[in-house]
Amino acid sequence: MIGRLRGTLAEKQPPHLILDVNGLGYELEVPMTTLYRLPSVGEPLTLHTHLVVREDAHLLYGFYEKRERELFRELIRLNGVGPKLALALMSGLEVDELVRCVQAQDTAALVKIPGVGKKTAERLLVELKDRFKAWETVPGMASLVVEPRAGGAVSSAENDAVSALISLGYKPQEASRAVTAVKEDGLSSEDMIRRALKGML
């Protein structure tokens, strides 16, 4: 099991990145909450990781905080929740928002996430309520507030933002409309993704 990687951020194409660890490039997929906090390409980075082994692939997921990885692991233990849906949930709702959503049994917030219908949302909230009881007593569990990092815009920022939203399960037209509605000169792809997600949820 690969539990943590420390290296240099070599490539960043939401929601994927490549982390160079002593010349070996690890490709990881990250939730948007982690993406917003990444440094610039070429800067050092440490990520907590989770390896999913399938018959046809070994998939590595990266998280800025250990708490994010713990949440990911809780989600994929649930019936019918795979890594893709777990990342979509974590990208649409920050950790503290998801905890509050479970406490309030708020299905309306969950059904806005791609791939989550009303029945799925109701089942997830019931199953997560018991699992989150321990989380609610942990100091700082619900205090992860993610702020976007400032960064220079790149020519492909808009395309990267649209691609990231599509990878989360949004339809291409939805993703394109959402990004177009929030784009401004100088915005990084991370900022566009963050604003677009907020606009859709």
Side-chain angles (χ1 to χ4, degrees), residues 10-196:
E11 290 182 30
K12 181 167 54 173
Q13 189 165 5
H16 300 92
L17 59 86
I18 293 180
L19 189 64
D20 186 319
V21 181
N22 297 323
L24 183 61
Y26 289 89
E27 183 177 338
L28 302 99
E29 188 166 351
V30 299
M32 296 304 140
T33 46
T34 288
L35 182 80
Y36 304 145
R37 308 172 79 182
L38 294 179
S40 301
V41 171
E43 295 290 323
L45 174 65
T46 298
L47 289 176
H48 302 279
T49 59
H50 180 85
L51 179 66
V52 173
V53 179
R54 300 190 327 209
E55 286 184 9
D56 59 341
H58 287 200
L59 304 171
L60 196 57
Y61 298 90
F63 307 91
Y64 199 83
E65 298 275 352
K66 274 188 178 180
R67 289 287 177 202
E68 290 180 308
R69 184 181 64 184
E70 288 177 26
L71 174 58
F72 178 80
R73 288 174 171 172
E74 288 290 350
L75 289 172
I76 61 175
R77 286 190 186 106
L78 300 178
N79 184 36
V81 178
K84 183 174 181 179
L85 182 54
L87 286 185
L89 286 164
M90 293 177 66
S91 295
L93 295 168
E94 293 171 9
V95 175
D96 56 336
E97 293 172 333
L98 186 53
V99 170
R100 281 198 301 269
C101 181
V102 171
Q103 289 172 335
Q105 293 291 286
D106 182 6
T107 57
L110 285 190
V111 295
K112 294 177 182 176
I113 306 293
V116 180
K118 187 176 180 182
K119 287 185 178 178
T120 301
E122 290 171 349
R123 180 174 55 78
L124 289 177
L125 288 175
V126 170
E127 292 186 34
L128 284 171
K129 191 169 187 179
D130 292 334
R131 292 178 181 271
F132 274 14
K133 282 179 181 174
W135 285 57
E136 292 160 14
T137 61
V138 178
M141 174 53 237
S143 63
L144 177 59
V145 178
V146 179
E147 294 295 333
R149 293 184 61 91
V154 294
S155 59
S156 62
E158 189 177 344
N159 288 336
D160 285 349
V162 172
S163 296
L165 293 177
I166 292 172
S167 75
L168 290 175
Y170 289 98
K171 294 176 182 176
Q173 288 181 330
E174 286 180 322
S176 182
R177 272 200 305 268
V179 171
T180 299
V182 300
K183 70 176 181 179
E184 292 177 11
D185 289 341
L187 277 185
S188 67
S189 58
E190 293 94 328
D191 290 335
M192 288 189 202
I193 294 165
R194 188 172 191 269
R195 290 187 181 190

